[in-house]
Amino acid sequence: MDLSIPHLYPLYALPVLLALLVGMWFPVTGHLRDQQLKRQYYRVQLVTFVSAVLGAKLTFLFGEFLWPLRPLDSWEQVVYSGRSIVGALIFGLLGAELAKPFFRYPLPPNDRFAAQLPFAFAIGRLGCLFSGCCRGTPFESPWSVTYSDGIARHPAPLYEILFQLLAGCVALWLVKKQRLSGCVFSVYLMAYGSFRFFSEFLRETPKPMGSLSGYQWLSILMVVLGGIFYRRNLLRRERDRQTNDLSDPTVATSL
């Protein structure tokens, strides 16, 4: 598959724009009936978005240039460089958790939001596939991709697209069946962190840290954070269930 078409920047921007539109269109607040809760949720989401954008840039600079461990050659690298999904997820999660008590938002993580994220990321990765960023390592096979450098490579963005589509389908099923309520995003973090750690071996990214890339170390952090918040949300569900049982007159009488 030859993708050596010059000047494909529009084909990068358009999928990213479409991914943002998908995220905005998906009815993530369909389960919220109270208008006050909706307003609180949107405020939290605004902080989440800003944190994710900032984290995506900072993580890219770390993963590609090891900044701030190494100085940047020029600040043009900040302006014109890319972004990282890994950083968007980590910083978005931390921004949301800090914003919730500030805006007094009482609900657990939104499973509907978690279910639409993989599909948005899959669409965005189409831009990476066609524009030649996030390239794979050299690899000869019928499904290799070749860019303007003439080197056959692993289609690393395609691997991630397939993962994201699968993860999105699983997340939708969990939401529909009301399984792991409040924990879908944590499960996704652990799954994507694991996938990204191993897929980095097939990506042409700098690996100066013990033969691992900066993204791989951050992927480990993502898995850890996902596990921490998964456990926390499970304990919260159990406390809520016990509280509801105690408030039920039938249960109280039986006790």
Side-chain angles (χ1 to χ4, degrees), residues 57 61 65 67 72 74-83:
K57 175 62 70 173
L61 295 176
F65 308 116
W67 182 86
L72 296 172
S74 71
W75 282 100
E76 289 184 359
Q77 291 176 313
V78 177
V79 178
Y80 297 109
S81 59
R83 292 150 299 279

Side-chain angles (χ1 to χ4, degrees), residues 23-35 37-43 45 105 107 110-114 116:
M24 295 173 62
W25 168 79
F26 197 88
V28 295
T29 58
H31 63 300
L32 297 178
R33 305 302 180 193
D34 184 89
Q35 293 302 314
L37 274 178
K38 279 192 176 183
R39 286 192 291 270
Q40 291 172 322
Y41 176 77
Y42 286 131
R43 290 166 186 160
Q45 282 298 86
Y105 181 72
L107 299 182
N110 188 349
D111 292 335
R112 288 171 174 258
F113 176 75
Q116 65 89 15

